[in-house]
Amino acid sequence: MGKTLFEKIWDEHVITARDDGDVLLYIDRHLIHDLHFRAFGMLKAKGLQIREPDKLFGTPDHSIPTTAKVLEDIPEGEMRQTVEVLEKSAAEFGFTHFPMTDDRHGIVHVIGPEQGITLPGITLVCGDSHTSTHGALGCISFGIGSTELQHVLATQSLWQRKPKMMRINITGRLGFGVSGKDVILAVIREISAAGGTGYAIEYAGSAIEAMSMEGRMTVCNMTIEAGARSGIIAPDDKTIEYCAGRPYSPKGELWDDAASYWRTLPSDDDAHFDKEITLAGDAIAPMVTWGNSPQWALPVTDTIPDPSGESDPLVRADMEAALDYMDLKPGMPLSDISVDTVFIGACTNSRIEDMRAAAQVANGRRAKVRTLVVPGSGLVKKQAEAEGLDRIFTDAGMEWREPGCSMCVGMNGDMLAPGERSASTSNRNFRGRQGLGSRTHLVSPAMAAAASVTGCFTDVRKLVEEA
Amino acid sequence: MAKAKGLEPFKTFASVAVPIDIANCDTDQIIPARFLRRPSTDPDYPRFLFHDLRFNEDGSEKDFVYNKAPYCDGRIFVADINWGCGSSRENAVTALAANGVRSVIAPSFGDIHYSNCIKNGVLPIRLSSADCETLRRQLHDSPGAEIAIDLDEQSLTGPDQTTYAFEINPFDKHRLLNGLDEIGLTLEFDDEISRFAENYNAKHRWAS
Ligand code: SF4
C-alpha cells in the first residue's frame, strides 16, 4: 500500500520506535518566540545544553507593542524582559535570532516560510499551536508545549504517536471575494472544532491547488482550530518556486537535490486515509463567525441561528451562552451587526497577499471605525510600503503598525475594551481573547476591510462589485 | 546520566470532583493570556485558573462552580468535549497543578493539551460523552461527591460506585505511575540520536 505525504516525511524522521508504537522523531527546524523566555533558564538548571543550536531560530512577536521600534520602546517589566531574555539567550546559546530592529523579524509563522527556514519534507516544531501553518509548504509541523520544547532543545527529537490521516478535498473553484480564510472557516464549521482531534489533515483538490502559498498558509494555520495538530499540503511547482532563492533555502546542487526529492513527496494514489471529506469550493461564501468557537461560522448572507432549534441540549446551552456573551439575538442578519474595531493581522492573515486584499477594499474608502493593520513581518511591511499599500490604509484613516501578534492575543497592549466587538482576521474568537470581555468575529482580510469602511459585516462581493 | 527527575507519581487518587459544563473549553479560558509571562512560582498562580470565569475585575467572585464549597476543594474535573483546545500554553496545566488538580475526565481533549497534561503528572482520562454527562449530573446532584481513580487498573469509580474503565497509552501510564521525566529518559538514546542525525544529514544535505 502507498503512503500519504505525511507518512513519507514521518518515516524519514524516525530515530527509533518503542513497543507501544510511539517513535522518537528527529526535528529539522525549531522556532522559538518571546513567551518561551523561561526555557533557557530551566534548561540550564537541569544542566542541559541546546543540542543543535544551528537548527533553532528565534524572534520576538507576542510581546512587542506595534508602536515600538526598539527595545526601549517596550514598557519596562515582564513585557520587555521576555524580549530581552530571548535576545540574550540567542547570543549565549548561539542560535539565530531576528531582533525587533531587524527587518527579518515578525510573527514566527510568517518569517519561517519567508526566510526559507521552513521547507518541504522537513519536520518543524514551535512552542505555539499555530505551527500547523508551515505544513502549507509540504512539511510536518506542529505546536508543542513548553516541556516538549525543552525536550527538543536538549535532544533535537520528540516522542510522538503517529496521528490518524484525514484528507479534506476542496473541489471546484473559489468564487470572487472568497479566500483561504473562508475555506478554512467552512471546513471547521463542517467538521467541528473537535473534528480533527487525533488526525493530521492533508488539504487537497483543485481549489487548494489553485490557491496561492499565502492562502494555503491561512488554511493550514487554522487546522488547530479544527482540533488537529498538523495540516499539510503537497508541495508542487508553486511551493518549489516559493522556496527558491530564500535566505535559508538550499542553493546550487543542494537545491536541485532538494527539489527533486520534494517532488516524490505527494501522497501515493493508493495511500490510505482514515477519513476523507469533500467540500465544494464553488459553494463557499465569505464567512463570519458569531460564537466563541471557530466552528460557529456562517456565510455573511446568513442570520444568527436559533438555539431552540438545536436538539442536543449541551450544544443548545453552548449556543445560548455564546449568544449571551456576544450580545446577539437569534434571527438577526449577520449584516446587521456593527463593529467597534477592525484588526487586520495575525499569523493567519498578515502576509503580503492579505495586505493587498485588504488594501483593495480600503482603496478610496474611509474607515468608519478604529482599524489596525499589522503586517506579519518587517519584510511584509517593507514590501507593502514599496507597493504604496500603507498610504492606502492611512488615507482611509486606518492605523499602519509595526509587525507582531498584536490584537490577536492582546499581550502587547493592543486590545479591545470590555464589551467591544471586532472584525478580526486572527484565528480565535474565544472569550476574552482580544481583551477581557472582548467580542471577536473572525473574517478574511477583505471582509475585515469591508467591515471597516461600512462599520458592519458587509458582503465584500457586493461592496467591490458596486464600485 | 541525569535520571528522570520526580514528578509526583500517580497510582490511586480520590477527591471531590468538579463538574465543568463547558464544551470546547479552550486554554484561554483555563488561563488567560495576560498571565502567561508570570513565573510558576507566583503565589497568585492558583487564582489564574479559570480567572475570568471566576473573578470580576475588582477581584470579587463570580457565580462559578469552582468558587463554591465543596467544589472549590475538588482536585478532579469532569469536563465536556474538546477540553483544552486552542493555544498550546502549558501554563494551563501549571494552573491546574497549582490548585492540586490531578486529573481531568472529558470525552475528548485538545491534542497538545493532552500531552502537556501527561508531561506534568495530570492524568487526562477519556470517557464517552454519555458517561461524562452522567458523572457531571451526579456531581451537581451530590455536591462534594468523590471520584476515585486507579491508574494501574485503568479504572475510576463514580459517586454512585459505578466503575468505568479507561484507555491510556502504556508508556504514558508507566511514566505517570513512576513520575518519570522524559528528557532524562530520551538522553539514554543519545548515541542513537547522533547516529541518526549523521545519516540523515548525509542523505538530506539540503536539510542540514
Ligand atoms: S498571531 Fe496570534 S495566533 Fe499567531 S502566533 Fe501570534 S498570538 Fe499566536
Side-chain angles (χ1 to χ4, degrees), chain A residues 61-62 107-109 128 130 221 346-348 404-405 408-409 427-428 433:
Chain A
D61 52 13
H62 287 67
I107 307 172
V108 269
H109 310 311
D128 193 281
H130 290 101
N221 175 274
C347 56
T348 326
C405 295
C408 171
V409 65
N427 40 40
R428 289 187 171 142
R433 173 80 178 181

Side-chain angles (χ1 to χ4, degrees), chain B residues 25-175:
Chain B
C25 185
D26 56 79
T27 53
D28 273 80
Q29 306 313 304
I30 301 174
I31 182 169
R34 61 185 182 282
F35 302 122
L36 299 187
R37 287 179 287 240
R38 299 287 186 86
S40 56
T41 50
D42 191 321
D44 280 340
Y45 225 101
R47 283 176 66 91
F48 300 164
L49 178 64
F50 293 131
H51 187 279
D52 297 346
L53 294 166
R54 282 166 73 195
F55 303 107
N56 292 307
E57 262 182 281
D58 62 5
S60 60
E61 287 189 356
K62 290 186 182 178
D63 176 29
F64 184 70
V65 60
Y66 190 53
N67 282 339
K68 292 179 224 162
Y71 297 117
C72 55
D73 296 323
R75 298 175 66 191
I76 294 173
F77 288 174
V78 184
D80 200 350
I81 53 157
N82 212 15
W83 165 267
C85 62
S87 161
S88 57
R89 59 188 70 167
E90 199 158 313
N91 316 64
V93 190
T94 312
L96 290 169
N99 286 279
V101 176
R102 298 293 321 266
S103 178
V104 179
I105 303 164
S108 57
F109 291 79
D111 287 339
I112 304 176
H113 182 72
Y114 186 94
S115 76
N116 286 342
C117 283
I118 295 276
K119 288 177 171 40
N120 289 277
V122 173
L123 172 64
I125 297 178
R126 291 191 191 98
L127 288 188
S128 72
S129 265
D131 288 344
C132 288
E133 203 187 327
T134 305
L135 287 171
R136 289 199 308 270
R137 203 180 45 242
Q138 290 172 357
L139 296 171
H140 281 298
D141 292 347
S142 335
E146 293 204 351
I147 288 178
I149 299 167
D150 186 331
L151 175 57
D152 208 13
E153 292 291 322
Q154 295 184 212
S155 73
L156 66 90
T157 308
D160 65 351
Q161 300 309 308
T162 304
T163 299
Y164 305 83
F166 62 86
E167 294 295 322
I168 182 166
N169 167 280
F171 191 74
D172 289 345
K173 176 174 167 178
H174 170 72
R175 280 191 45 219

Side-chain angles (χ1 to χ4, degrees), chain A residues 137-393:
Chain A
L137 276 77
C139 60
I140 292 184
S141 66
F142 53 91
I144 55 178
S146 46
T147 303
E148 287 180 314
L149 184 155
Q150 288 176 48
H151 191 281
V152 177
L153 291 177
T155 70
Q156 202 59 36
S157 66
L158 267 181
W159 288 102
Q160 288 292 301
R161 198 157 308 154
K162 202 180 108 187
K164 290 179 284 180
M165 300 289 125
M166 185 189 302
R167 181 157 60 191
I168 298 182
N169 304 293
I170 313 292
T171 59
R173 276 179 53 185
L174 300 183
F176 170 74
V178 178
S179 68
K181 183 62 158 285
D182 305 301
V183 169
I184 190 62
L185 287 173
V187 165
I188 299 165
R189 180 190 183 204
E190 176 74 20
I191 71 170
S192 92
T197 308
Y199 290 90
I201 301 179
E202 178 174 341
Y203 300 94
S206 53
I208 298 291
E209 284 161 24
M211 211 178 263
S212 65
M213 291 310 294
E214 284 91 343
R216 293 178 187 183
M217 287 184 225
T218 303
V219 170
C220 287
N221 175 274
M222 288 191 70
T223 301
I224 186 72
E225 271 66 54
R229 229 170 159 173
S230 287
I232 195 165
I233 294 173
D236 58 8
D237 289 345
K238 213 180 277 179
T239 318
I240 292 173
E241 198 181 305
Y242 177 90
C243 295
R246 299 203 171 254
Y248 292 91
S249 293
K251 306 275 156 17
E253 199 184 310
L254 293 185
W255 169 260
D256 297 335
D257 291 350
S260 53
Y261 171 64
W262 296 341
R263 289 192 191 281
T264 67
L265 292 175
S267 294
D268 296 327
D269 291 339
D270 57 346
H272 172 75
F273 288 91
D274 301 282
K275 198 166 184 178
E276 188 135 12
I277 286 164
T278 298
L279 257 71
D282 307 76
I284 298 173
M287 304 289 279
V288 180
T289 69
W290 55 268
N292 300 117
S293 163
Q295 73 185 15
W296 300 125
L298 285 171
V300 59
T301 47
D302 229 315
T303 54
I304 301 289
D306 190 345
S308 64
E310 175 57 52
S311 55
D312 183 333
L314 290 174
V315 178
R316 196 187 319 140
D318 185 27
M319 289 170 76
E320 281 166 352
L323 290 181
D324 182 49
Y325 181 85
M326 295 295 287
D327 191 27
L328 297 168
K329 299 269 173 300
M332 189 176 177
L334 287 173
S335 55
D336 279 2
I337 303 172
S338 55
V339 301
D340 305 300
T341 290
V342 172
F343 171 58
I344 300 170
C347 56
T348 326
N349 283 121
S350 61
R351 299 177 183 80
I352 189 66
E353 182 187 275
D354 303 311
M355 299 292 119
R356 289 181 190 137
Q360 201 196 342
V361 178
N363 197 4
R365 296 187 171 91
R366 285 291 299 173
K368 287 206 170 143
V369 296
R370 172 169 78 132
T371 301
L372 256 64
V373 189
V374 184
S377 71
L379 291 173
V380 170
K381 181 166 186 265
K382 249 178 124 172
Q383 174 69 26
E385 287 172 356
E387 295 178 20
L389 307 183
D390 59 320
R391 289 296 303 275
I392 294 178
F393 293 128

